[in-house]
Short mmCIF file of all heavy atoms in Angstrom, two decimals:
data_model
loop_
_atom_site.label_atom_id
_atom_site.label_comp_id
_atom_site.label_asym_id
_atom_site.label_seq_id
_atom_site.Cartn_x
_atom_site.Cartn_y
_atom_site.Cartn_z
N ALA N 80 100.29 101.73 111.90
CA ALA N 80 101.56 101.72 112.63
C ALA N 80 101.43 100.98 113.95
O ALA N 80 102.38 100.36 114.43
CB ALA N 80 102.05 103.14 112.86
N ARG N 81 100.23 101.01 114.54
CA ARG N 81 100.01 100.35 115.82
C ARG N 81 99.37 98.98 115.65
O ARG N 81 98.95 98.36 116.63
CB ARG N 81 99.15 101.25 116.72
CG ARG N 81 99.86 102.51 117.19
CD ARG N 81 98.93 103.43 117.95
NE ARG N 81 97.98 104.09 117.06
CZ ARG N 81 96.88 104.73 117.47
NH1 ARG N 81 96.60 104.78 118.78
NH2 ARG N 81 96.08 105.32 116.62
N ARG N 82 99.27 98.52 114.40
CA ARG N 82 98.74 97.19 114.07
C ARG N 82 97.30 97.01 114.55
O ARG N 82 96.91 95.95 115.01
CB ARG N 82 99.64 96.09 114.66
CG ARG N 82 101.04 96.05 114.07
CD ARG N 82 100.96 95.68 112.60
NE ARG N 82 102.28 95.50 111.98
CZ ARG N 82 102.80 96.35 111.11
NH1 ARG N 82 102.16 97.45 110.79
NH2 ARG N 82 103.98 96.10 110.56
N GLN N 83 96.48 98.05 114.39
CA GLN N 83 95.08 98.02 114.79
C GLN N 83 94.19 97.87 113.55
O GLN N 83 93.65 98.84 113.03
CB GLN N 83 94.73 99.29 115.57
CG GLN N 83 95.52 99.46 116.86
CD GLN N 83 95.32 100.81 117.51
OE1 GLN N 83 94.93 101.79 116.86
NE2 GLN N 83 95.59 100.91 118.80
N TRP N 84 94.05 96.65 113.07
CA TRP N 84 93.34 96.44 111.81
C TRP N 84 91.84 96.71 111.94
O TRP N 84 91.22 97.20 110.99
CB TRP N 84 93.59 95.03 111.27
CG TRP N 84 93.12 93.90 112.14
CD1 TRP N 84 93.83 93.24 113.09
CD2 TRP N 84 91.82 93.30 112.12
NE1 TRP N 84 93.07 92.26 113.67
CE2 TRP N 84 91.84 92.26 113.09
CE3 TRP N 84 90.66 93.51 111.38
CZ2 TRP N 84 90.72 91.46 113.33
CZ3 TRP N 84 89.55 92.71 111.63
CH2 TRP N 84 89.59 91.69 112.59
N ARG N 85 91.25 96.42 113.09
CA ARG N 85 89.83 96.70 113.26
C ARG N 85 89.56 98.21 113.25
O ARG N 85 88.63 98.69 112.58
CB ARG N 85 89.32 96.12 114.58
CG ARG N 85 89.22 94.60 114.60
CD ARG N 85 88.55 94.16 115.89
NE ARG N 85 88.62 92.72 116.06
CZ ARG N 85 87.75 91.86 115.54
NH1 ARG N 85 86.77 92.30 114.79
NH2 ARG N 85 87.88 90.55 115.77
N SER N 86 90.36 98.95 113.98
CA SER N 86 90.18 100.41 114.04
C SER N 86 90.41 101.04 112.67
O SER N 86 89.72 102.00 112.29
CB SER N 86 91.16 101.01 115.07
OG SER N 86 90.89 100.51 116.36
N ALA N 87 91.38 100.51 111.92
CA ALA N 87 91.63 101.03 110.57
C ALA N 87 90.40 100.79 109.69
O ALA N 87 89.99 101.68 108.92
CB ALA N 87 92.85 100.35 109.97
N GLY N 88 89.80 99.61 109.80
CA GLY N 88 88.60 99.32 109.02
C GLY N 88 87.43 100.19 109.42
O GLY N 88 86.64 100.64 108.57
N ASP N 89 87.30 100.44 110.73
CA ASP N 89 86.22 101.32 111.21
C ASP N 89 86.40 102.74 110.66
O ASP N 89 85.42 103.40 110.29
CB ASP N 89 86.21 101.36 112.74
CG ASP N 89 85.76 100.03 113.35
OD1 ASP N 89 85.15 99.22 112.62
OD2 ASP N 89 86.03 99.82 114.55
N ALA N 90 87.64 103.22 110.62
CA ALA N 90 87.91 104.55 110.09
C ALA N 90 87.56 104.61 108.60
O ALA N 90 87.00 105.61 108.12
CB ALA N 90 89.37 104.93 110.31
N MET N 91 87.87 103.55 107.88
CA MET N 91 87.53 103.49 106.46
C MET N 91 86.01 103.53 106.28
O MET N 91 85.49 104.23 105.38
CB MET N 91 88.10 102.21 105.84
CG MET N 91 87.71 101.98 104.39
SD MET N 91 88.39 103.22 103.28
CE MET N 91 88.47 102.27 101.75
N ALA N 92 85.28 102.80 107.12
CA ALA N 92 83.81 102.79 107.01
C ALA N 92 83.24 104.19 107.26
O ALA N 92 82.35 104.65 106.54
CB ALA N 92 83.23 101.79 108.00
N ARG N 93 83.77 104.86 108.27
CA ARG N 93 83.30 106.22 108.57
C ARG N 93 83.63 107.17 107.43
O ARG N 93 82.82 108.03 107.05
CB ARG N 93 83.93 106.71 109.87
CG ARG N 93 83.51 108.12 110.24
CD ARG N 93 83.89 108.48 111.65
NE ARG N 93 83.33 109.78 112.01
CZ ARG N 93 83.22 110.21 113.25
NH1 ARG N 93 83.61 109.45 114.26
NH2 ARG N 93 82.70 111.41 113.50
N MET N 94 84.81 107.00 106.88
CA MET N 94 85.24 107.84 105.75
C MET N 94 84.27 107.71 104.58
O MET N 94 83.84 108.70 103.97
CB MET N 94 86.66 107.41 105.34
CG MET N 94 87.23 108.10 104.14
SD MET N 94 88.85 107.37 103.77
CE MET N 94 89.38 108.41 102.42
N GLN N 95 83.90 106.48 104.27
CA GLN N 95 82.99 106.25 103.16
C GLN N 95 81.59 106.75 103.46
O GLN N 95 80.89 107.23 102.57
CB GLN N 95 82.99 104.75 102.81
CG GLN N 95 84.32 104.28 102.24
CD GLN N 95 84.36 102.78 101.98
OE1 GLN N 95 83.88 101.99 102.78
NE2 GLN N 95 84.95 102.40 100.86
N GLU N 96 81.16 106.64 104.72
CA GLU N 96 79.85 107.17 105.11
C GLU N 96 79.79 108.68 104.93
O GLU N 96 78.73 109.24 104.63
CB GLU N 96 79.56 106.82 106.58
CG GLU N 96 79.25 105.34 106.81
CD GLU N 96 79.14 105.00 108.29
OE1 GLU N 96 79.29 105.94 109.12
OE2 GLU N 96 78.90 103.82 108.60
N GLU N 97 80.93 109.34 105.09
CA GLU N 97 80.99 110.79 104.91
C GLU N 97 81.13 111.18 103.44
O GLU N 97 81.18 112.37 103.11
CB GLU N 97 82.16 111.37 105.71
CG GLU N 97 81.98 111.27 107.22
CD GLU N 97 83.12 111.92 108.00
OE1 GLU N 97 83.90 112.67 107.39
OE2 GLU N 97 83.22 111.69 109.21
N GLY N 98 81.19 110.18 102.57
CA GLY N 98 81.27 110.46 101.15
C GLY N 98 82.65 110.85 100.68
O GLY N 98 82.81 111.45 99.60
N ILE N 99 83.68 110.52 101.46
CA ILE N 99 85.06 110.83 101.10
C ILE N 99 85.66 109.61 100.40
O ILE N 99 85.69 108.52 100.97
CB ILE N 99 85.89 111.21 102.33
CG1 ILE N 99 85.28 112.42 103.02
CG2 ILE N 99 87.34 111.48 101.96
CD1 ILE N 99 85.93 112.78 104.35
N ALA N 100 86.13 109.79 99.19
CA ALA N 100 86.68 108.67 98.41
C ALA N 100 88.10 108.34 98.86
O ALA N 100 88.94 109.24 98.97
CB ALA N 100 86.67 109.02 96.93
N PRO N 101 88.40 107.08 99.13
CA PRO N 101 89.77 106.68 99.49
C PRO N 101 90.69 106.78 98.28
O PRO N 101 90.23 106.78 97.13
CB PRO N 101 89.61 105.23 99.95
CG PRO N 101 88.39 104.74 99.22
CD PRO N 101 87.47 105.94 99.11
N ASP N 102 91.99 106.86 98.54
CA ASP N 102 92.96 106.86 97.45
C ASP N 102 93.93 105.70 97.65
O ASP N 102 93.72 104.83 98.51
CB ASP N 102 93.70 108.20 97.36
CG ASP N 102 94.47 108.56 98.62
OD1 ASP N 102 94.68 107.67 99.49
OD2 ASP N 102 94.90 109.72 98.75
N ALA N 103 94.99 105.68 96.87
CA ALA N 103 95.94 104.57 96.92
C ALA N 103 96.58 104.44 98.30
O ALA N 103 96.80 103.33 98.80
CB ALA N 103 97.02 104.75 95.85
N LEU N 104 96.88 105.57 98.96
CA LEU N 104 97.50 105.52 100.28
C LEU N 104 96.55 104.92 101.32
O LEU N 104 96.97 104.19 102.22
CB LEU N 104 97.93 106.93 100.71
CG LEU N 104 99.10 107.54 99.94
CD1 LEU N 104 99.35 108.97 100.43
CD2 LEU N 104 100.36 106.70 100.12
N THR N 105 95.26 105.24 101.19
CA THR N 105 94.27 104.68 102.11
C THR N 105 94.27 103.16 102.03
O THR N 105 94.35 102.46 103.04
CB THR N 105 92.87 105.20 101.77
OG1 THR N 105 92.90 106.59 101.46
CG2 THR N 105 91.90 104.94 102.91
N PHE N 106 94.15 102.66 100.80
CA PHE N 106 94.10 101.21 100.61
C PHE N 106 95.41 100.54 101.00
O PHE N 106 95.42 99.45 101.57
CB PHE N 106 93.75 100.89 99.15
CG PHE N 106 92.31 101.10 98.81
CD1 PHE N 106 91.92 102.09 97.92
CD2 PHE N 106 91.32 100.30 99.38
CE1 PHE N 106 90.59 102.28 97.60
CE2 PHE N 106 89.98 100.49 99.06
CZ PHE N 106 89.61 101.48 98.18
N ASP N 107 96.52 101.20 100.70
CA ASP N 107 97.83 100.62 101.05
C ASP N 107 97.92 100.38 102.55
O ASP N 107 98.35 99.31 103.01
CB ASP N 107 98.95 101.55 100.58
CG ASP N 107 100.32 100.89 100.61
OD1 ASP N 107 100.69 100.35 101.68
OD2 ASP N 107 101.01 100.91 99.58
N ALA N 108 97.50 101.38 103.34
CA ALA N 108 97.57 101.25 104.80
C ALA N 108 96.63 100.15 105.31
O ALA N 108 97.01 99.36 106.18
CB ALA N 108 97.23 102.59 105.46
N LEU N 109 95.42 100.10 104.77
CA LEU N 109 94.45 99.08 105.19
C LEU N 109 94.93 97.68 104.86
O LEU N 109 94.86 96.76 105.69
CB LEU N 109 93.11 99.35 104.51
CG LEU N 109 92.24 100.44 105.11
CD1 LEU N 109 91.14 100.84 104.14
CD2 LEU N 109 91.64 99.99 106.42
N ILE N 110 95.42 97.50 103.65
CA ILE N 110 95.88 96.18 103.23
C ILE N 110 97.09 95.75 104.06
O ILE N 110 97.18 94.61 104.51
CB ILE N 110 96.23 96.19 101.72
CG1 ILE N 110 94.97 96.43 100.90
CG2 ILE N 110 96.90 94.88 101.31
CD1 ILE N 110 95.25 96.76 99.44
#
Side-chain angles (χ1 to χ4, degrees):
R81 291 174 288 166
R82 295 295 185 252
Q83 298 172 338
W84 62 268
R85 289 187 189 275
S86 298
D89 291 343
M91 175 65 153
R93 179 168 187 163
M94 176 184 184
Q95 293 176 318
E96 288 173 1
E97 293 183 13
I99 300 173
D102 60 14
L104 290 177
T105 318
F106 284 114
D107 193 307
L109 281 165
I110 295 168

